[in-house]
Amino acid sequence: MRKIIKYLIVFSVILLISFFSFLCNSQIQQLNSETQNLIHGYLLQVEKYEKENNKIEAANYLNKVAYIYLQNGSGIKSIDYFKKSLSINEELGNKNAVITINNNLGFIYSEYGDYHSAHNYFNKSLSLCREQNKKWDIASGIINVSQVLSELKDYEKSNEGLEEALNLGKEINNFQIIKNCYELLYKNYEKLGNSKKSLEYFDLYVSLQKHLQKKELESLETRTKEAEAKAFAKELQLMDTKDTLNEVVRINREMQLKNQLLNKEKALKDLALKEEKARRGVLEARVRARRIVLFTVVSALLLMTLILALIYVQFNQKKKANELLHDQNIEIEKQRDIANIQKQKITDSIQYAQRIQNAILPPRELLDNLLHDYFVLYRPKDIVSGDFYWITQKENILVLTAADCTGHGVPGGFMSMLGVAFLNEIVNKIVINKHISSLQADNILNELRVNIIRSLHQTGRRDEPKDGMDIALCIIDFDENKLQFAGARNPLVLIRNGELIHYKADRMTVSYSHKMNQPFTKHEIKLEINDAIYLFTDGYCDQFGGDEDLKFGSNNLKELLLSISQKPMREQREILISNHEEWKGARNQLDDILVIGFKYAGKRKVLVKEQKYNWEDKNILIAEDTDINYYFLAEVLKSTNARLIRVNNGKEAVEYCQSNNVDLILMDINMPRMNGFEATRSIKEHKNDIPIIVQTAVGFENEEELSLESGADDYISKPIDLKSFMNKLEKFLG
């Protein structure tokens, strides 16, 4: 297609060139032989003067040739000779000639519609006029340029020039220049749609035109009177000779009689012609009237037919469009219903994720038991949060974290569950394998980073997700009144006796990075009673707001914490919430928000809540291929002290049960290698006494019946109700 367009453009250009060549040749052929001979003679003179190096005369004869072509309607041909003359005059420095020739070329190009070339030559002429500072020439040049700009539809620029020319015309009192400016201005403003300005300049133009016409008539009347006076003087000379006068009178009378006869004869002929023309006009008028009536009737019939046809076509189109619209509305309603179902499923899944996340966060009773005066400001941006806090106690040592996972919403929520599971695993492993005194804040973050990298299979490739978390972790030893702190981008703030101390975190995240081999820094702090300690993520600081729509910033947060540090912690929380809402205004919350604050009260007696379930002698096998689901179950069952064993598919579950003692199996249905139904049948064939509870989130039709038919003892559908879930387990484990 592009080649065809290219060929068409080339063909059009060739055709245009051929047309102009034909036009020039035809114009040259129209010149009579006398004119052609004159041109030939002038061109010989040009050759002669060029040989003699008489450039002035050569340019003069080139101008003559150009003017002959121009006067005989061959403007295109005259351009060549004007340009040759222009080149010579520019070389000679003859500015007046250069001005004239540039104007001539501008007028010729304007006549042929090449306004860009015309604009170029008029501008050259105007520049020279400005150098000579001749106001009349400058004004005329500006009018020429403005006329071309108007043709190019650049009316604003044209008007700017005309205003300048108008001022010059008024300066030199040249009414013709003023009139030309008024005329162009009213036409330009009319094209710009400015009726008020156009009418204003039109009135000025008409008024000045009448004034000039009046002056011209007065001049003509003066010249007529002068001519009559001269005629009267000659008549007086004739009266000096009486005979001559009588002879003149006789001759005049004879001439008058002849003229009267001729006029009468002519009048009779004219009258006859008028009568004949009138009769013919009446006949022609009648014929035209009949034709008009016939044409009107036929046109009306055709128009009515066309209108009826259009109405019919539009009716059919509208009918088809309505049918199509009806079908589309039905389809839209179907898609809307499907979308609503999908939306509800997604919402249910997100709410289930929220329930899972809430289940793994420390309950309020635990915080009340472990901390004296504290608050937790926890405000997810979405239903599920990427921020989480975690707390655990090992004898007289408390471990507390505030973490910000990559992203927010469901993805951030999944990362937070991984973080909680890994922190439980790391702390418990250290306490079991070593001693409680081996708990070191920096080592916990180092180990957490290793687990995150391994779990997410991070290798440092550019195309892999950069998931991880920023975290502030502190370990409080109530016996020694000491606090250890290690942070990944999240700091710790301590306020003591009205002074704020900021403990910086390391500028690296808990994930794969170029600093992954660098250990985290441990800060050791000696605590005093009533020290106010704050951990927070970046959500509060990064909120945009205020009059200038800026981030709140960590400095503002620290100043705010210092100003309210003497108030009770619960009141501090309310102030932080109020300040955030005021700063945010009508804007949306930008990120998840987490701020934890507590006052150190020294060693206190920790109330141990009575444990409802104690299954420390029980082995629970969890067959689950999805990490997040396993971590949820592990977190829920953590307080029961049961031994949890995980397998990733049905085949591994069957193999484990064949050689190990299992008290209960939590069996997922959809797993690789062997699904839950097949695994349940296989296990029941060999060990029918092992209770199996099937649990799934897919929700197939008759899923519960299929589960029980395969040999399962019970069935749980997700989202799991924790109370119902624990009751089912208690039924089998006691």
Side-chain angles (χ1 to χ4, degrees):
M1 187 67 186
R2 289 181 178 176
K3 287 186 177 179
I4 294 172
I5 293 171
K6 185 178 178 182
Y7 291 145
L8 285 172
I9 292 171
V10 172
F11 177 74
S12 301
V13 171
I14 293 171
L15 190 65
L16 192 63
I17 292 169
S18 302
F19 171 75
F20 277 117
S21 299
F22 170 76
L23 186 65
C24 292
N25 291 333
S26 64
Q27 287 177 338
I28 292 169
Q29 289 171 3
Q30 289 174 3
L31 299 175
N32 57 43
S33 58
E34 183 180 348
T35 305
Q36 288 180 3
N37 290 335
L38 184 60
I39 290 171
H40 180 68
Y42 286 161
L43 290 175
L44 289 176
Q45 291 294 321
V46 171
E47 289 180 11
K48 171 190 170 187
Y49 287 119
E50 282 178 346
K51 288 177 182 178
E52 295 175 357
N53 199 26
N54 189 342
K55 294 181 179 180
I56 295 174
E57 289 300 326
N60 183 34
Y61 277 98
L62 284 169
N63 277 339
K64 289 181 178 181
V65 173
Y67 278 119
I68 291 173
Y69 279 119
L70 184 60
Q71 289 164 1
N72 284 275
S74 183
I76 293 174
K77 189 66 178 174
S78 70
I79 288 172
D80 295 333
Y81 293 101
F82 274 131
K83 284 183 177 179
K84 290 177 182 178
S85 176
L86 177 64
S87 177
I88 294 172
N89 280 295
E90 284 177 340
E91 186 180 346
L92 292 171
N94 189 351
K95 291 187 178 181
N96 290 330
V98 171
I99 290 170
T100 303
I101 296 170
N102 276 320
N103 280 333
N104 288 339
L105 288 168
F107 288 126
I108 294 168
Y109 278 117
S110 293
E111 186 178 348
Y112 285 97
D114 187 355
Y115 298 112
H116 289 286
S117 297
H119 182 259
N120 181 38
Y121 284 105
F122 280 140
N123 258 333
K124 289 180 180 179
S125 176
L126 177 59
S127 297
L128 290 172
C129 290
R130 289 187 188 277
E131 287 178 12
Q132 294 182 347
N133 198 26
K134 295 180 179 179
K135 293 185 178 180
W136 186 91
D137 291 340
I138 293 170
S140 298
I142 292 171
I143 291 171
N144 292 336
V145 172
S146 297
Q147 179 72 49
V148 172
L149 288 171
S150 181
E151 295 293 345
L152 291 170
K153 297 183 171 38
D154 192 351
Y155 305 117
E156 296 286 353
K157 200 168 182 181
S158 174
N159 286 347
E160 288 177 13
L162 290 170
E163 292 290 348
E164 183 186 356
L166 182 60
N167 290 332
L168 287 171
K170 290 177 180 178
E171 251 184 79
I172 60 177
N173 201 30
N174 189 306
F175 292 115
Q176 191 61 40
I177 287 175
I178 295 170
K179 185 196 78 169
N180 292 340
C181 290
Y182 285 155
E183 182 181 9
L184 276 174
L185 282 166
Y186 97 73
K187 289 179 179 178
N188 282 351
Y189 279 115
E190 183 180 16
K191 290 169 184 175
L192 285 169
N194 191 336
S195 303
K196 185 178 178 182
K197 278 280 188 183
S198 177
L199 185 60
E200 177 186 335
Y201 282 110
F202 178 75
D203 289 341
L204 291 170
Y205 165 71
V206 170
S207 175
L208 188 56
Q209 175 78 350
K210 287 179 179 178
H211 174 72
L212 292 176
Q213 286 175 350
K214 183 180 177 182
K215 288 285 186 183
E216 190 174 346
L217 287 172
E218 289 174 355
S219 176
L220 182 62
E221 187 177 341
T222 301
R223 290 198 300 270
T224 303
K225 287 179 179 179
E226 289 174 356
E228 286 176 353
K230 288 179 182 179
F232 182 69
K234 287 183 180 180
E235 191 174 342
L236 288 175
Q237 289 176 0
L238 288 172
M239 287 176 68
D240 292 341
T241 307
K242 188 175 182 180
D243 294 338
T244 305
L245 180 60
N246 291 333
E247 183 65 21
V248 169
V249 170
R250 185 183 62 79
I251 292 170
N252 283 340
R253 284 178 182 174
E254 288 178 1
M255 291 296 294
Q256 285 175 0
L257 289 171
K258 286 180 181 179
N259 287 335
Q260 287 174 2
L261 290 171
L262 288 171
N263 287 336
K264 286 181 181 179
E265 186 179 352
K266 184 180 178 183
L268 290 171
K269 287 181 180 179
D270 288 343
L271 183 61
L273 286 171
K274 284 180 181 178
E275 289 176 355
E276 180 65 25
K277 194 178 287 185
R279 284 195 297 271
R280 188 180 296 170
V282 171
L283 291 173
E284 289 177 353
R286 288 175 182 173
V287 172
R288 281 198 301 274
R290 290 194 190 100
R291 287 177 180 172
I292 289 169
V293 171
L294 181 62
F295 177 76
T296 303
V297 172
V298 172
S299 298
L301 290 173
L302 287 174
L303 184 61
M304 288 178 65
T305 305
L306 180 62
I307 291 170
L308 289 172
L310 287 172
I311 292 171
Y312 177 75
V313 170
Q314 287 181 349
F315 175 77
N316 280 340
Q317 288 177 345
K318 189 174 181 181
K319 185 179 178 183
K320 290 178 181 178
N322 287 335
E323 291 173 355
L324 180 62
L325 184 62
H326 178 71
D327 295 340
Q328 288 175 343
N329 286 337
I330 293 172
E331 183 63 26
I332 288 169
E333 289 177 0
K334 289 180 181 177
Q335 294 298 325
R336 182 193 62 198
D337 294 339
I338 293 170
N340 287 337
I341 293 169
Q342 293 294 333
K343 180 184 177 183
Q344 188 59 46
K345 287 182 178 180
I346 292 169
T347 303
D348 291 343
S349 298
I350 293 173
Q351 289 174 344
Y352 177 51
Q354 182 191 31
R355 290 171 61 187
I356 293 173
Q357 188 174 54
N358 290 339
I360 66 174
L361 290 174
R364 182 173 178 178
E365 299 81 29
L366 178 63
L367 293 169
D368 290 342
N369 191 22
L370 297 178
L371 298 173
H372 175 63
D373 183 13
Y374 77 95
F375 73 81
V376 176
L377 174 54
Y378 179 65
R379 304 188 84 179
K381 178 183 182 294
D382 302 311
I383 297 175
V384 182
S385 175
D387 288 6
F388 73 91
Y389 55 98
W390 176 81
I391 190 170
T392 188
Q393 183 186 20
K394 302 298 179 183
E395 297 180 7
N396 282 320
I397 290 180
L398 188 71
V399 184
L400 176 64
T401 65
D404 178 7
C405 299
T406 305
H408 42 75
V410 175
F414 287 159
M415 280 297 299
S416 70
M417 294 177 201
L418 279 175
V420 169
F422 285 143
L423 285 168
N424 276 318
E425 180 183 340
I426 292 165
V427 171
N428 290 334
K429 188 187 296 182
I430 292 172
V431 172
I432 292 170
N433 295 337
K434 299 178 183 179
H435 185 266
I436 192 169
S437 61
S438 300
L439 286 172
Q440 301 294 319
D442 54 336
N443 290 340
I444 294 173
L445 292 193
N446 292 334
E447 189 65 27
L448 179 61
R449 178 168 58 189
V450 171
N451 286 359
I452 291 289
I453 292 171
R454 183 178 64 248
S455 176
L456 299 179
H457 309 292
Q458 292 180 340
T459 61
R461 295 197 314 271
R462 290 185 179 181
D463 58 337
E464 70 182 10
K466 302 297 185 290
D467 295 318
M469 64 182 71
D470 301 336
I471 186 170
L473 184 145
C474 63
I475 300 174
I476 302 171
D477 188 336
F478 290 100
D479 289 337
E480 300 293 331
N481 291 324
K482 288 183 179 179
L483 181 147
Q484 295 179 37
F485 165 69
R489 293 183 182 270
N490 287 353
L492 179 143
V493 170
L494 184 145
I495 299 176
R496 177 182 295 163
N497 299 324
E499 179 186 358
L500 185 145
I501 307 169
H502 179 263
Y503 293 92
K504 292 184 178 179
D506 292 307
R507 300 297 297 170
M508 53 185 176
T509 188
V510 180
S511 66
Y512 193 99
S513 70
H514 67 281
K515 294 182 178 180
M516 59 179 290
N517 295 322
Q518 179 181 331
F520 286 94
T521 305
K522 179 177 72 173
H523 302 269
E524 291 188 334
I525 306 164
K526 186 68 176 178
L527 293 176
E528 296 180 7
I529 302 300
N530 287 327
D531 280 350
I533 300 162
Y534 301 93
L535 306 175
F536 48 87
T537 60
D538 60 2
Y540 198 100
C541 302
D542 286 348
Q543 178 63 50
F544 280 94
D547 296 335
E548 298 181 3
D549 195 25
L550 300 174
K551 287 185 178 181
F552 187 73
S554 60
N555 288 335
N556 285 335
L557 177 58
K558 286 187 285 187
E559 288 178 7
L560 178 60
L561 292 174
L562 182 60
S563 68
I564 63 175
S565 60
Q566 299 302 316
K567 298 181 184 294
M569 283 293 173
R570 294 184 187 277
E571 187 178 339
Q572 290 186 38
R573 181 180 185 274
E574 296 306 316
I575 293 172
L576 285 169
I577 292 172
S578 174
N579 180 78
H580 174 74
E581 289 298 326
E582 183 180 349
W583 178 263
K584 177 169 69 73
R587 300 172 185 83
N588 293 325
Q589 184 175 323
L590 184 69
D591 197 0
D592 302 317
I593 292 174
L594 174 60
V595 183
I596 300 173
F598 64 94
K599 286 188 179 179
Y600 183 67
K603 188 174 181 180
R604 62 179 301 195
K605 184 179 179 181
V606 177
L607 300 175
V608 179
K609 189 178 178 181
E610 185 180 350
Q611 191 169 344
K612 185 176 181 181
Y613 305 104
N614 187 10
W615 297 326
E616 60 183 356
D617 59 339
K618 303 296 182 182
N619 296 320
I620 300 176
L621 179 67
I622 302 175
E624 176 62 70
D625 63 318
T626 305
D627 289 345
I628 196 67
N629 291 337
Y630 168 73
Y631 293 140
F632 169 64
L633 293 172
E635 188 65 25
V636 170
L637 296 171
K638 179 180 68 174
S639 62
T640 67
N641 298 323
R643 180 171 176 263
L644 305 181
I645 305 99
R646 181 190 179 185
V647 293
N648 292 300
N649 55 67
K651 188 174 179 63
E652 289 180 4
V654 173
E655 291 172 352
Y656 185 86
C657 290
Q658 288 173 353
S659 56
N660 294 281
N661 180 37
V662 178
D663 296 294
L664 177 70
I665 301 174
L666 295 174
M667 182 74 72
D668 188 26
I669 292 177
N670 294 284
M671 293 184 293
R673 297 185 69 185
M674 182 184 289
N675 65 39
F677 296 140
E678 295 172 357
T680 300
R681 292 191 192 96
S682 181
I683 291 169
K684 286 293 185 178
E685 286 176 4
H686 299 92
K687 292 188 176 182
N688 190 43
D689 59 330
I690 301 177
I692 300 176
I693 300 175
V694 169
Q695 44 94 27
T696 183
V698 178
F700 290 124
E701 189 177 356
N702 302 323
E703 193 176 68
E704 184 175 1
E705 293 179 15
L706 293 171
S707 300
L708 298 175
E709 286 176 4
S710 68
D713 297 274
D714 211 333
Y715 169 86
I716 297 174
S717 64
K718 299 175 183 176
I720 294 173
D721 178 72
L722 293 179
K723 185 176 180 181
S724 174
F725 174 69
M726 296 304 291
N727 288 338
K728 286 179 184 290
L729 267 63
E730 186 180 20
K731 182 173 67 174
F732 296 107
L733 297 176

